[in-house]
């Protein structure tokens, strides 16, 4: 008979072993939990440190892989104008194609009808890898993928997208590659800011208001079509800060679909921003500037002073005449209201070349267009300043500048006399440049009256947007061609500001070779109406509401007008 002997304490030891194993598992779990919590705290701390301190460390590229290759560009209200995103592309490796290239080209043309079968066939039968489509839409990619061709690939790439298409194209410019160098406009001028690893995670706000930009482009295009003009352009600028609220140049281009414009002159390329690159003799729009200079020089001391305009003015073999001669002596308000070349030239002759040159230089007419863009032209300055040069430049002939030059000069003319450069940056109150004084405050106040008179009783009446107290000046100038002026080719301009009792915005519109209606090709019929419609549409957007109970007080000047019927 077998005897089983049970060792005392066995069950107790087994229990202790189970307790030890449980404790060990618990300790390990606690250790893992502490380790996990430690890693979490480190990550949270790192993210907090980056959020607090990364802005001030311009050289910190630690987050570069998580940032866009190029900062977004937004308008002054945050509307996206340029973005970097992952885009679909369609490419082909001809050596791997299994289908018939001709049939495949036909099907690709059905998916992308804007590209011909011949172009697709050439790429499909080429020797190397080639793009079939850049920036393809998802549905287009799906349609190509459904063809089942193993030789077609779908690479994902960083692309620069302009969601508003042609809107403000000349202001934005373009960037051929998302991580490359901008080609023009904001993309080129602020390239370093847009690719800076410490800043490209934040959108770059520019001064443009996309609503105002759209209205300006719409009205310019409508007038271009109606008048069969060769081109058109316009600028809306804050008269007190220099910020460009809108800038347009027609014809326009789509930065999403760049074509090869290499080798073309500015006048022939849609890429040309005529507001800062094209130089024009802007004609009578110069007259208010010249008369303001004469007032500051002490030459014009009374608005009632009269000048002989009874006959054309003969100087050095040239004859200066008025388009619509009054045939009598006229005073300063009449010179501007009736746009008299003779009267302006006589004032300039009395003033002399030095004060006139000083004024032109003070508003940068001898420098490149005053804005950040790389593509900007320098004014064409006369090679000599004889008596006849002083007289003709006073009414905008013999000197050429860009429309932006004129806009900044008009801002100084109406804002109290302070000139500031234009900018496409959205400025905070403490970033507005101090500027420099180019006209006295008293002269600026008088010019506001005179500019308002031109619109209410003179050549600018077709720009009189009711309730907005518009003031401005027309300019119609023949274009120089082969050493002489072409009488059938006009550049027409209307330079203005509103509201004239407290000027906030400058608006300049220009029409290039507009035919007009019924043969009426001058600025009063081609450029001024554009300004009226633009102000009526954009004034409320800019916080300026029409108020017909307010206006500039011109009661002391109106009795000086003779009462001749204006004919321009």
């Amino acid at each position: 008979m077998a005897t089983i002997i049970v060792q005392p304490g066995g069950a107790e030891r087994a229990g202790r072993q189970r307790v030890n194993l449980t404790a060990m598992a618990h300790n390990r779990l606690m250790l893992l939990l502490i380790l996990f919590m430690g890693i979490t705290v480190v990550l949270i701390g790192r993210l907090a440190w980056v959020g607090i301190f990364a802005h001030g460390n311009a050289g910190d590229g630690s987050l570069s892989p998580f940032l866009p290759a190029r900062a977004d560009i937004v308008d002054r209200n945050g509307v996206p104008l340029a973005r970097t995103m992952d885009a679909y592309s369609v490419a082909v490796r001809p050596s791997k194609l299994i289908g018939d290239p001709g049939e495949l080209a036909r099907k690709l043309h059905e998916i992308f009808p804007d590209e011909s079968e011949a172009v697709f066939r050439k790429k499909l039968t080429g020797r190397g890898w080639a793009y079939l489509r850049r920036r393809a839409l998802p549905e287009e990619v799906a349609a190509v993928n459904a063809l089942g061709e193993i030789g077609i690939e779908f690479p994902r790439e960083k692309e620069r997208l302009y969601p508003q298409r042609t809107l403000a194209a000349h202001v934005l410019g373009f960037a051929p590659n998302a991580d490359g160098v901008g080609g023009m406009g904001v993309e080129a001028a602020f390239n370093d800011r847009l690719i800076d690893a410490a800043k490209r995670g934040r959108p770059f706000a520019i001064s443009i208001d996309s609503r105002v930009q759209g209205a300006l482009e719409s009205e310019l295009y409508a007038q271009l079509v109606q008048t069969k003009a060769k081109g058109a352009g316009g600028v809306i600028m804050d008269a007190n800060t220099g910020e460009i609220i809108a800038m347009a140049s027609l014809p326009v281009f789509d930065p999403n679909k760049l074509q090869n414009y290499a080798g073309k002159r500015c006048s022939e390329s849609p890429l040309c921003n005529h507001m800062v690159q094209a130089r024009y003799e802007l004609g009578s729009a110069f007259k208010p500037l010249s008369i303001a200079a004469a007032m500051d020089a002490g030459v014009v001391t009374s608005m009632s002073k009269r000048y002989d305009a009874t006959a054309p003015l003969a100087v050095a073999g040239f004859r200066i005449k008025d388009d619509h001669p009054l045939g009598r002596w006229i005073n300063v308000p009449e010179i501007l209201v009736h746009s008299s070349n003779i009267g302006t030239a006589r004032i300039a002759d009395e003033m002399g070349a030095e004060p006139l040159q000083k004024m032109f230089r003070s508003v940068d007419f001898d420098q490149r267009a005053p804005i950040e863009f790389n593509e900007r032209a320098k004014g064409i300055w006369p090679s000599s300043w004889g008596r006849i040069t002083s007289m003709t430049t006073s009414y905008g002939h013999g000197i050429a500048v860009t429309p932006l030059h004129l806009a900044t000069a008009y801002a100084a003319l109406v804002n109290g006399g302070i000139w500031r450069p234009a900018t496409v940056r959205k400025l905070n109150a403490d970033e507005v440049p101090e500027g420099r004084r180019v006209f006295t405050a008293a002269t600026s106040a008088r010019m506001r009256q005179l500019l308002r008179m031109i619109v209410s009783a003179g050549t600018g009446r077709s720009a009189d947007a009711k309730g907005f107290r518009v003031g401005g000046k027309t300019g119609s100038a023949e274009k120089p061609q082969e050493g002489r002026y072409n009488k059938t080719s006009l550049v027409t301009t209307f330079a203005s500001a509103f509201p004239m009792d407290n000027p906030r915005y400058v608006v300049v519109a220009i029409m290039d070779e507009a035919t007009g209606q019924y043969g009426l090709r001058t600025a009063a019929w081609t450029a001024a109406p554009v300004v009226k419609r633009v102000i009526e549409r954009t004034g409320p957007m800019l916080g300026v509401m029409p108020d017909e109970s307010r206006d500039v007080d011109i009661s002391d000047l109106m009795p000086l007008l003779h009462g001749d019927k204006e004919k321009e």
Side-chain angles (χ1 to χ4, degrees):
M1 181 175 182
T3 301
I4 299 176
I5 301 174
V6 178
Q7 185 176 356
E12 183 180 350
R13 284 195 299 273
R16 283 199 301 271
Q17 288 177 354
R18 285 194 296 272
V19 171
N20 290 339
L21 290 173
T22 302
M24 185 180 299
H26 181 268
N27 290 338
R28 288 176 177 174
L29 288 173
M30 289 299 295
L31 182 62
L32 288 173
L33 180 61
I34 293 172
L35 182 62
F36 176 76
M37 291 179 64
I39 293 173
T40 302
V41 170
V42 169
L43 290 175
I44 292 175
R46 173 61 177 168
L47 291 174
W49 184 90
V50 168
I52 296 173
F53 298 106
H55 295 312
N57 190 352
D60 184 5
S62 58
L63 292 181
S64 294
F66 305 100
L67 297 175
R70 196 175 188 86
D72 289 353
I73 300 174
V74 299
D75 83 341
R76 64 187 305 107
N77 301 311
V79 175
L81 300 175
R83 281 182 163 173
T84 297
M85 59 182 294
D86 286 330
Y88 290 95
S89 295
V90 181
V92 63
R93 293 187 185 275
S95 60
K96 293 188 176 182
L97 288 177
I98 58 175
D100 175 54
E103 178 63 16
L104 190 56
R106 184 186 64 79
K107 293 179 179 179
L108 288 170
H109 172 65
E110 292 176 356
I111 298 172
F112 306 110
D114 59 330
E115 197 75 87
S116 68
E117 287 188 41
V119 171
F120 283 126
R121 189 181 299 108
K122 183 177 179 180
K123 293 179 179 180
L124 294 170
T125 56
R127 293 186 177 182
W129 188 92
Y131 281 109
L132 296 174
R133 173 63 56 135
R134 305 288 295 271
R135 295 192 180 100
L137 298 174
E139 54 268 29
E140 293 172 334
V141 171
V144 176
N145 190 43
L147 298 178
E149 179 54 67
I150 63 173
I152 293 181
E153 302 174 353
F154 305 96
R156 294 292 297 274
E157 300 174 328
K158 297 292 184 183
E159 291 285 352
R160 196 64 163 167
L161 178 68
Y162 301 90
Q164 312 301 333
R165 303 184 67 183
T166 61
L167 186 77
H170 291 95
V171 175
L172 294 171
F174 57 88
N177 299 302
D179 55 354
V181 178
M184 61 177 280
V186 171
E187 293 279 26
F190 297 94
N191 187 73
D192 292 345
R193 159 63 177 86
L194 295 170
I195 64 174
D196 189 336
K199 298 178 180 178
R200 67 180 190 240
R202 304 191 304 276
F204 179 48
I206 62 175
S207 59
I208 296 296
D209 186 319
S210 58
R211 304 167 304 166
V212 177
Q213 180 74 30
L216 176 63
E217 291 185 10
S218 172
E219 294 299 341
L220 283 171
Y221 181 74
Q223 189 73 347
L224 179 143
V225 172
Q226 183 176 345
T227 62
K228 300 180 177 63
K230 177 181 178 181
V235 175
I236 300 177
M237 186 175 75
D238 189 308
N240 300 298
T241 68
E243 292 171 282
I244 298 297
I245 307 301
M247 177 186 288
S249 178
L250 302 178
V252 75
F253 69 98
D254 187 344
N256 293 301
K257 299 178 180 179
L258 289 176
Q259 301 178 32
N260 182 18
Y261 300 111
K264 292 188 176 182
R265 294 181 300 176
C266 181
S267 60
E268 301 172 345
S269 173
L271 295 182
C272 180
N273 183 351
H274 291 85
M275 297 302 97
V276 298
Q277 290 179 267
R279 299 167 296 188
Y280 304 97
E281 293 187 11
L282 294 173
S284 297
F286 269 44
K287 290 173 182 173
L289 301 173
S290 301
I291 289 177
M295 292 168 63
D296 280 342
V299 173
V300 173
T301 57
S302 170
M303 293 291 100
S304 61
K305 184 176 179 179
R306 305 179 80 81
Y307 297 86
D308 184 5
T310 56
L313 181 59
V315 180
F318 294 90
R319 285 168 57 85
I320 297 174
K321 60 182 182 178
D322 289 338
D323 289 338
H324 304 290
L326 297 175
R328 59 181 176 81
W329 287 67
I330 56 178
N331 56 41
V332 174
E334 289 176 318
I335 288 172
L336 288 175
V337 166
H338 296 290
S339 197
S340 171
N341 295 338
I342 298 171
T344 307
R346 288 194 181 278
I347 290 175
D349 191 35
E350 184 179 344
M351 176 170 49
E354 185 176 347
L356 191 62
Q357 285 189 61
K358 180 181 176 182
M359 184 273 294
F360 286 154
R361 293 185 191 277
S362 71
V363 293
D364 272 17
F365 281 4
D366 62 334
Q367 302 296 321
R368 297 174 71 192
I371 198 169
E372 297 95 344
F373 295 154
N374 297 338
E375 63 286 355
R376 52 198 176 105
K378 183 178 180 180
I380 300 177
W381 193 255
S383 57
S384 63
W385 280 82
R387 183 186 178 198
I388 188 64
T389 301
S390 296
M391 297 172 81
T392 59
T393 56
S394 71
Y395 57 86
H397 287 265
I399 183 171
V401 297
T402 70
L404 185 66
H405 278 107
L406 187 67
T408 56
Y410 264 68
L413 191 65
V414 302
N415 71 9
I418 305 300
W419 183 90
R420 295 180 179 87
T423 181
V424 287
R425 293 187 302 116
K426 180 183 178 182
L427 300 179
N428 297 320
D430 59 351
E431 294 177 315
V432 176
E434 184 177 347
R436 60 175 179 261
R437 180 164 293 282
V438 296
F439 300 109
T440 64
T443 292
S444 179
R446 180 62 84 183
M447 293 312 301
R448 290 196 290 270
Q449 290 180 297
L450 291 168
L451 290 170
R452 179 65 183 135
M453 284 185 70
I454 294 170
V455 172
S456 62
T459 60
R461 283 176 297 193
S462 54
D464 194 11
K466 298 300 180 184
F468 288 100
R469 292 91 72 196
V470 180
K473 183 69 185 77
T474 52
S476 304
E478 296 168 356
K479 294 173 69 174
Q481 188 176 35
E482 298 179 357
R484 59 193 309 173
Y485 288 101
N486 185 344
K487 295 184 179 298
T488 63
S489 177
L490 289 183
V491 172
T492 56
T493 306
F494 192 76
S496 67
F498 78 100
M500 289 306 291
D501 52 337
N502 181 24
R504 292 180 57 187
Y505 298 98
V506 167
V507 183
V508 173
I510 184 168
M511 303 298 295
D512 188 359
E513 298 188 19
T515 59
Q517 292 181 310
Y518 312 110
L520 302 172
R521 300 181 298 126
T522 60
W525 303 98
T526 58
V530 177
V531 170
K532 176 183 179 179
R533 294 194 294 268
V534 166
I535 291 175
E536 288 173 339
R537 288 183 60 177
T538 64
M541 298 177 189
L542 296 169
V544 181
M545 304 304 294
D547 185 351
E548 296 192 49
S549 67
R550 299 174 55 185
D551 211 331
V552 179
D553 183 7
I554 55 176
S555 58
D556 61 325
L557 297 179
M558 287 301 294
L560 296 176
L561 297 184
H562 188 272
D564 297 86
K565 184 178 180 181
E566 178 53 50
K567 299 178 182 180
E568 183 178 323

